[in-house]
Amino acid sequence: MNALAAGFANPPQESARAFRAAMQAMACPGTIQNITGPEVPGLSPAAALLLLTLTDGTTPVLLTGDAAQSQDWLTFHTGAPKAGSAAEAAFAVGRWDDLGPLNPYPVGTPDYPDRSATLIVEMAEISGDGPRLTGPGIETEVQMSLPDADALRLNAALYPLGVDLFLTCGSRLAALPRSTRIAEDG
Amino acid sequence: MSDYNFAYLDEPTKKMIRRAILKGLAVPGYQVPFASREMPMPYGWGTGGVQVTAACLTPEDTLKVIDQGSDDTTNAVSIRSFFAKVAGVATTTRTAEASVIQTRHRIPETPLRSDQVLVYQVPIPEPLRFLEPRETETRRMHALEEYGLMHVKLYEDIARHGAIATSYAYPALVNGRHVFDPSPIPRFDNPRLESPAIQLFGAGREQRIYALPPFTSVQSLDFDDHPFEASKADGACALCGATHTYLDEIVADDQGTRRFQCSDTDYCMERRA
């Protein structure tokens, strides 16, 4: 039997620092935060850190692809229930192809646009090489690599509904909220 | 070492508030419901702001708290010492030295930076509340982007007073979509809502959190022939002589002599230093 990977040694302080990085990422799309997260099989340190910081017994989590290896770890440390399908997920984690199409994920309702899924997308790399982004949190414009600009453009068109994305790669963390407008070219 | 959990709140509560803040940042100006806790201070003393501050404070932060621009009123002093005790964070009265600033009804005069977080205490988060008392209806109005009633209210101001008389909590359109209440800041501060800092709004009694990411467009509502005007008292600060700051009018003696003074005490003191 394998021992589970560790969670936070000091939850209040470590989760506070992790949240500030996550908040900075979500508030400033296109900026990349460097964080220190736990080593968990199937997850990047950044994705593991987000799960420890944001999930609990009230947030069904869908782990797809390699991330599914971390199911026991997640259950032990956070008590987050396993989402039966994308439609039930408050959080979903995995590579873009494993997460599948965006359609089934909750996008919120017109009265409650906050009741939408947050996707944690494991990326091969995050760089400034990608479409031009504008919107809240961006002074003029930034560029960032995106998993699928067309699908995300459709997501942004649902505003104020839509899913919100964290992009993770190793210990690097960025975000793409639904409010970010994605330019058509390049 | 304090006997409290870091920043007072328990970890599950902070997680819940943190998720609300992230959704608030994703939909700027939309009021996210959250399960507000009882805090060791009465409603109306900034319980919403305190909970938001508690959820985003890190041990390395330096906290400043202001009440109507002032660092030394009861509300500001007690919230500052509250966090010094339960989070062990450094506190300051200098805007430039603070990384998190909790405010009641003012934006500091010193321009904010991108590494600062401004947390507002909000009494009534719903801009439409005094026009429509039912939460089910105002929620629907936001969903349908139905803000005609707000323009009628501003128009009635003009019809009655010849100008828009709303002087604080002046409604604004955020990111071209949601009309929001910037909390009771004077309308003098409205143009400075477009800021490099992250701005978070917490309403404890009303159980709502909303947010403005940096550089979010915030248009104060107005009409083509009655454009928005960031007004202030016509005078100069009696202490530092500033004419560009927001001024409080103070009765100075028993004869009713009045004078003006900067509402931002830190800014005024720095100008005189």
Side-chain angles (χ1 to χ4, degrees):
Chain A
M1 188 180 145
N2 296 328
L4 287 175
F8 285 135
N10 199 347
Q13 284 79 1
E14 288 176 56
S15 65
R17 295 186 188 108
F19 173 69
R20 272 295 269 283
M23 177 170 89
Q24 202 71 41
M26 191 58 87
C28 304
T31 61
I32 298 169
Q33 309 287 320
N34 283 296
I35 53 88
T36 324
E39 294 290 337
V40 181
L43 295 174
S44 65
L49 190 72
L50 286 174
L51 288 172
L52 280 181
T53 306
L54 298 174
T55 66
D56 59 24
T58 66
T59 55
V61 177
L62 183 68
L63 298 169
T64 67
D66 289 346
Q69 294 170 38
S70 64
Q71 186 68 60
D72 290 347
W73 171 85
L74 182 70
T75 308
F76 178 76
H77 286 292
T78 71
K82 183 176 178 174
S85 66
E88 289 172 16
F91 289 86
V93 191
R95 284 193 295 266
W96 184 257
D97 291 338
D98 293 330
L99 287 165
L102 289 182
N103 309 22
Y105 290 99
V107 293
T109 65
D111 283 2
Y112 293 95
D114 55 301
R115 296 179 182 173
S116 67
T118 302
L119 271 52
I120 300 172
V121 188
E122 299 272 33
M123 306 275 287
E125 77 167 320
I126 308 176
S127 71
D129 183 21
R132 288 182 294 114
L133 310 177
T134 55
I138 302 169
E139 186 168 13
T140 49
E141 61 173 43
V142 289
Q143 285 180 285
M144 185 168 68
S145 52
L146 298 178
D148 181 343
D150 288 332
L152 292 169
R153 222 172 266 130
L154 291 176
N155 180 57
L158 296 174
Y159 189 86
L161 306 188
V163 298
D164 306 305
L165 267 59
F166 279 110
L167 307 177
T168 53
C169 173
S171 59
R172 287 150 62 83
L173 170 67
L176 186 82
R178 65 193 91 170
S179 58
T180 301
R181 295 178 279 275
I182 305 164
E184 287 285 349
D185 57 286
Chain B
M1 187 65 200
S2 153
D3 293 325
Y4 292 96
N5 188 39
F6 175 72
Y8 187 78
L9 292 173
D10 57 285
E11 292 305 300
T13 297
K14 282 194 253 174
K15 279 186 179 181
M16 174 269 295
I17 295 174
R18 286 167 177 163
R19 289 193 297 263
I21 292 174
L22 292 178
K23 287 299 175 194
L25 286 165
V27 191
Y30 165 71
Q31 305 158 51
V32 185
F34 81 111
S36 178
R37 299 296 193 246
E38 282 211 40
M39 298 302 285
M41 61 191 72
Y43 288 130
W45 286 72
T47 54
V50 165
Q51 290 177 79
V52 170
T53 300
C56 49
L57 215 52
T58 70
E60 293 75 31
D61 275 317
T62 303
L63 179 70
K64 171 184 163 87
V65 184
I66 52 173
D67 175 1
Q68 305 265 16
S70 168
D71 292 283
D72 48 14
T73 61
T74 310
N75 199 193
V77 170
S78 52
I79 292 174
R80 204 160 55 234
S81 59
F82 173 74
F83 280 114
K85 179 174 182 183
V86 301
V89 293
T91 60
T92 183
T93 58
R94 306 283 297 271
T95 302
E97 287 169 10
S99 53
V100 176
I101 303 171
Q102 182 171 329
T103 174
R104 176 175 174 271
H105 311 352
R106 266 319 301 280
I107 299 176
E109 302 283 354
T110 310
L112 298 177
R113 304 183 309 262
S114 60
D115 60 344
Q116 294 177 309
V117 179
L118 185 60
V119 179
Y120 295 75
Q121 303 172 196
V122 182
I124 308 283
E126 177 50 73
L128 304 165
R129 183 61 68 233
F130 292 106
L131 307 171
E132 169 53 64
R134 286 167 297 180
E135 168 66 14
T136 47
E137 287 301 303
T138 52
R139 188 158 285 283
R140 202 35 29 142
M141 288 158 82
H142 284 291
L144 298 173
E145 215 173 339
E146 176 50 71
Y147 296 127
L149 204 53
M150 186 58 91
H151 278 100
V152 170
K153 192 250 177 202
L154 296 176
Y155 169 76
E156 285 180 348
D157 265 10
I158 295 170
R160 256 188 230 133
H161 309 289
I164 297 176
T166 306
S167 57
Y168 66 93
Y170 193 101
L173 184 67
V174 175
N175 191 28
R177 177 59 179 80
H178 285 96
V179 165
F180 96 131
D181 183 331
S183 86
I185 58 172
R187 73 181 189 192
F188 174 82
D189 282 342
N190 267 36
R192 294 187 300 130
L193 288 162
E194 290 185 351
S195 162
I198 297 175
Q199 297 173 86
L200 305 173
F201 299 76
R205 179 182 45 211
E206 302 289 322
Q207 314 203 325
R208 297 290 184 277
I209 286 172
Y210 49 107
L212 293 176
F215 311 115
T216 303
S217 101
V218 181
Q219 296 163 267
S220 302
L221 299 183
D222 61 1
F223 298 97
D224 289 346
D225 53 347
H226 285 272
F228 172 80
E229 207 180 317
S231 58
K232 64 181 271 287
D234 188 19
C237 174
L239 295 173
C240 75
T243 54
H244 62 286
T245 60
Y246 188 73
L247 300 171
D248 288 337
E249 189 176 15
I250 294 168
V251 179
D253 56 30
D254 289 349
Q255 279 66 53
T257 312
R258 284 153 196 275
R259 63 180 208 173
F260 292 108
Q261 204 169 302
C262 287
S263 109
D264 186 334
T265 51
D266 168 63
Y267 187 78
C268 190
M269 281 201 283
E270 268 178 51
R271 276 173 56 85
R272 285 177 284 144

